[in-house]
Amino acid sequence: MARFITKSGSRDQSQDSGAIWMAASSEQKQKSKGGEDNSSDESSEGGQKMAKKGEELKEDMDSLMEEIDSVLEENAEEFVKNYVQRGGE
Amino acid sequence: MAIPTVMGTEIEYGIIVKNDPDFDPISSCVLLVNAYREDPEGRILWDYDQENPLADARGFQVDGEKYTPNQQENIARNKTLINGARYYVDHAHPEYSSPEVTNARDLVIHEKAGERIVEVSRREANVLLPEGATMLLHKNNSDQKGNSYGCHENYLMDRRTSFKRIVESLLPFFATRQIYCGSGKVGSENRNQPCDFQISQRADFFETEVALDTMVKRPIINTRDEPHADREKYRRLHMIVGDSNMSEYTIYLRNGVTAIILSMIEDGAIDRDLSLINPVRAIKEVSHDPSLSREMQLDNGKRMTAIEIQNEFLDMALTYAAKNPLDAVSVDVLDKWQHVMQRLADNPMDLAREIDWVAKKHILDGFIERKGLEWDDARVKMLDLQYHDTRPDKGLYYMLERQGRVERICSDEEINAAAHRPPDDTRAYFRGECLRRYPGEVFGVNWDSISFAVGEEPVRRIMMNEPLKGSRAYVEELLDKSESASELLANMG
């Protein structure tokens, strides 16, 4: 069950936007440690991957926001105004 | 040597009835709690004789009147459940007190079972409301208007540990623990500095370091000295400083890390002085700074961030764990704490799967950006409330869970089972099993006692001063050979 961050920042899961971003950034780090002679190719490939991940991140946020729109309480203003609790404990 | 961990939580829920001009929170709570039906079900009193909420851990008794309801009111307001929990009306809130458990994983399972029990009774209660009215419950700690209600953690501690040492060690720990335990909140309350978003639901409400009160002038360390166990051997640390959490992972860390720290205090393993100049100010400053970069002044002249202070505790805990073998859950808690501290230092917003305040802020940041809103927009505040909504189809946390966007600690099967079954390894087993097996003969219950009324005989109270006795291993055989409570009493001699 335990999930560690390794020193390089990799992570054993890749579901959420944060993890996608982390996976992208750790790939970046690993790439930059690789061969130095073709580093410009590497970085442009990395850049494309970053762009792709960025796209995925955006799509993920879009789908999250759609869900939220579908469950958000109607008449938020009135609800928030009427939400009064007595102090407890 | 630290004593074994025994802990539990008491969660007060926010309650409101939509479209009911006559809404009264207390009668709504009574309706809610009584709408929950168990099979079998007895009419059981909560045994107030065993309570003493006015005893202070600093060694004195505070003046005041002890609350003791009459019998009818007592039964109407209190339900002791066959899973060993207490579900009841506390002032103007429904409250779920989990049964005693021995580890953070079981704590998560039982606190989550409480959410489901509350939701089941909400649905039952709704049927009884006037047409168009809807009861809603929120597992949160504030109404955004300056009224707060609690999430109380209880930990059994060795009476020999000096209370002064407990206080000194815990003040800097509790002022900063929220960076991985906070549930997040839009805006500020209680005459604090305005802010868009803060880490903790509760931090705004703490006004003093150490005191007995829980409703006014709230203290970071509560001194209620009501052990619900052998007073000579134990104290119960009653901590009111935490937030009600939705995330299993956050609950796991909240109780799991705190239990490790308390064992370390008992063993004298907190050997660095991290005392803050002003813990009451610090708890609010930490909460109001989601960037986690603010430094606080220590007594020793140093300045440290909340992350640095928590890393000191983590470092001491790792040293402690290297010398003292921990149980499997504590080892896992320590791993996860380490993981979270690393992430907090790198980029806190990467913890949206694990930590409530980050999950909430992730949603709100996205919503505000997409819609072009300000933080004080009613829809933003609505989402804050709705994160804690107990309805599986409306609650935002449950939505995240359904979509696989959060880390789980336990399974739905385990949670559902815990709604009807006590933990095996504490006295909650005996309490719950007696209620299940002998519902008509149990007369009254408290955490450390259970009394039976059998036929015309005088009521007989069995004391349970040892929280780890009354476990399945201790009493299952005795219960199995006792067909009735009278046989049980005879077999107990």
Side-chain angles (χ1 to χ4, degrees):
Chain A
M1 284 297 284
R3 285 185 183 80
F4 284 110
I5 290 263
T6 62
K7 293 273 189 242
S8 68
S10 69
R11 191 187 186 201
D12 61 351
Q13 56 188 327
S14 56
Q15 298 282 311
D16 66 314
S17 52
I20 288 165
W21 189 87
M22 281 300 285
S25 70
S26 78
E27 267 172 40
Q28 280 283 59
K29 279 181 194 165
Q30 282 161 9
K31 289 268 158 71
S32 65
K33 276 187 218 154
E36 284 164 24
D37 49 347
N38 57 354
S39 57
S40 62
D41 287 356
E42 287 281 332
S43 67
S44 86
E45 192 188 317
Q48 281 171 12
K49 282 203 169 162
M50 277 297 273
K52 191 158 170 274
K53 295 291 181 193
E55 195 62 29
E56 283 172 22
L57 195 64
K58 186 179 166 299
E59 278 172 23
D60 186 61
M61 186 53 101
D62 286 344
S63 85
L64 179 58
M65 288 303 129
E66 264 174 44
E67 282 286 331
I68 284 175
D69 281 335
S70 74
V71 298
L72 179 63
E73 188 78 29
E74 289 168 20
N75 303 322
E77 192 149 352
E78 194 188 337
F79 189 101
V80 168
K81 191 178 83 191
N82 293 333
Y83 192 80
V84 181
Q85 300 290 315
R86 288 200 205 163
E89 304 167 78
Chain B
M1 182 69 184
I3 64 164
T5 296
V6 179
M7 60 183 159
T9 51
E10 312 159 39
I11 309 285
E12 291 181 341
Y13 288 76
I15 182 166
I16 195 159
V17 178
K18 271 200 325 183
N19 304 324
D20 179 4
D22 301 323
F23 167 63
D24 167 60
I26 296 172
S27 54
S28 298
C29 288
V30 172
L31 176 70
L32 175 77
V33 167
N34 284 281
Y36 189 68
R37 296 279 171 202
E38 286 198 311
D39 182 31
E41 186 162 70
R43 285 170 56 79
I44 296 147
L45 291 167
W46 186 257
D47 190 347
Y48 286 87
D49 284 357
Q50 297 298 311
E51 309 227 313
N52 188 5
L54 301 172
D56 193 301
R58 292 165 295 183
F60 48 85
Q61 182 80 14
V62 173
D63 287 341
E65 202 149 308
K66 206 172 107 175
Y67 169 70
T68 315
N70 67 38
Q71 191 156 331
Q72 196 181 356
E73 192 182 310
N74 184 324
I75 290 171
R77 286 173 180 243
N78 288 287
K79 299 278 170 244
T80 311
L81 309 183
I82 54 175
N83 69 357
R86 181 188 182 196
Y87 181 32
Y88 69 115
V89 180
D90 191 16
H91 304 287
H93 296 272
E95 176 158 334
Y96 185 86
S97 299
S98 77
E100 304 90 328
V101 297
T102 59
N103 64 78
R105 191 166 186 282
D106 287 349
L107 190 280
V108 173
I109 293 169
H110 278 276
E111 191 174 310
K112 283 277 153 188
E115 290 171 27
R116 295 184 186 200
I117 285 168
V118 165
E119 173 58 13
V120 166
S121 47
R122 187 196 68 80
R123 282 186 223 173
E124 295 294 326
N126 255 334
V127 177
L128 305 170
L129 290 175
E131 185 82 19
T134 313
M135 183 185 287
L136 299 180
L137 294 158
H138 294 85
K139 192 190 181 196
N140 62 1
N141 306 108
S142 131
D143 63 358
Q144 306 173 335
K145 297 173 187 68
N147 301 306
S148 187
Y149 31 101
C151 160
H152 297 179
E153 300 153 59
N154 297 294
Y155 303 89
L156 195 72
M157 286 195 77
D158 190 330
R159 172 67 69 176
R160 288 170 301 181
T161 307
S162 113
F163 193 70
K164 185 166 171 282
R165 193 162 82 206
I166 295 173
V167 169
E168 285 166 359
S169 305
L170 286 182
L171 278 171
F173 176 72
F174 280 146
T176 51
R177 180 186 76 156
Q178 55 182 305
I179 60 176
Y180 53 84
C181 298
S183 281
K185 182 170 78 176
V186 173
S188 74
E189 296 172 280
N190 205 24
R191 300 184 300 278
N192 284 290
Q193 287 274 330
C195 65
D196 290 338
F197 178 87
Q198 61 177 305
I199 290 171
S200 161
Q201 291 256 311
R202 291 276 281 169
D204 281 343
F205 296 98
F206 292 95
E207 298 179 21
T208 184
E209 291 178 16
V210 185
L212 185 61
D213 291 316
T214 58
M215 294 178 69
V216 289
K217 274 187 80 77
R218 292 182 178 88
I220 296 175
I221 310 278
N222 182 246
T223 57
R224 184 179 295 176
D225 188 8
E226 196 183 17
H228 294 315
D230 184 341
R231 170 171 284 277
E232 303 284 311
K233 288 170 72 176
Y234 305 115
R235 67 171 75 251
R236 172 181 63 121
L237 208 59
H238 176 249
M239 292 297 100
I240 70 167
V241 74
D243 284 5
S244 294
N245 297 120
M246 298 302 296
S247 152
E248 293 177 5
Y249 199 103
T250 309
I251 297 170
Y252 189 64
L253 285 185
R254 183 191 69 204
N255 277 73
V257 172
T258 304
I260 293 171
I261 295 295
L262 295 177
S263 294
M264 291 166 64
I265 293 173
E266 286 177 340
D267 283 335
I270 304 286
D271 50 9
R272 299 178 200 173
D273 183 9
L274 298 163
S275 301
L276 293 159
I277 290 265
N278 188 339
V280 174
R281 191 170 71 207
I283 198 170
K284 294 168 193 185
E285 286 180 349
V286 172
S287 183
H288 284 230
D289 174 34
S291 75
L292 308 182
S293 57
R294 191 191 291 251
E295 290 183 333
M296 285 155 293
Q297 183 84 46
L298 272 64
D299 266 350
N300 62 16
K302 284 189 195 155
R303 296 183 66 81
M304 292 174 93
T305 64
I307 293 179
E308 287 167 344
I309 290 172
Q310 281 295 319
N311 273 333
E312 291 285 325
F313 280 105
L314 173 61
D315 201 39
M316 286 187 277
L318 291 170
T319 306
Y320 178 72
K323 290 184 198 152
N324 302 272
L326 300 181
D327 63 278
V329 172
S330 298
V331 169
D332 185 49
V333 166
L334 210 45
D335 287 349
K336 288 185 165 59
W337 186 20
Q338 220 174 340
H339 161 74
V340 162
M341 289 311 301
Q342 181 65 53
R343 284 279 173 120
L344 287 170
D346 292 346
N347 178 9
M349 290 312 290
D350 285 344
L351 286 164
R353 294 184 65 82
E354 289 93 351
I355 304 300
D356 272 321
W357 74 265
V358 182
K360 188 187 275 181
K361 189 167 187 297
H362 180 68
I363 292 174
L364 296 179
D365 282 344
F367 190 74
I368 285 170
E369 191 198 294
R370 298 295 162 107
K371 309 268 179 191
L373 302 176
E374 299 294 331
W375 278 94
D376 60 359
D377 191 283
R379 283 166 289 177
V380 177
K381 291 181 178 172
M382 186 69 232
L383 286 182
D384 181 359
L385 290 175
Q386 224 174 315
Y387 185 83
H388 304 269
D389 194 320
T390 61
R391 291 173 295 176
D393 56 333
K394 287 284 190 181
L396 290 190
Y397 173 76
Y398 296 128
M399 184 200 75
L400 296 177
E401 189 178 272
R402 202 166 45 245
Q403 296 180 342
R405 292 174 185 273
V406 290
E407 293 297 321
R408 302 287 305 265
I409 295 294
C410 53
S411 68
D412 288 327
E413 290 73 26
E414 287 173 303
I415 296 170
N416 290 335
H420 309 288
R421 198 165 68 205
D424 280 344
D425 53 359
T426 66
R427 65 188 175 190
Y429 179 81
F430 185 70
R431 181 187 311 123
E433 284 296 308
C434 284
L435 291 170
R436 188 172 69 80
R437 293 170 190 242
Y438 321 118
E441 294 164 301
V442 176
F443 177 76
V445 173
N446 196 311
W447 299 109
D448 54 1
S449 72
I450 181 162
S451 51
F452 297 92
V454 177
E456 297 303 309
E457 289 170 40
V459 171
R460 193 162 148 202
R461 183 188 280 151
I462 308 291
M463 294 307 294
M464 299 189 286
N465 271 329
E466 286 292 338
L468 292 176
K469 293 188 179 165
S471 64
R472 185 172 196 155
Y474 269 96
V475 299
E476 189 178 32
E477 199 186 319
L478 171 70
L479 291 166
D480 281 347
K481 69 179 183 192
S482 309
E483 289 280 325
S484 64
S486 78
E487 277 184 43
L488 175 75
L489 294 171
N491 287 332
M492 288 174 84

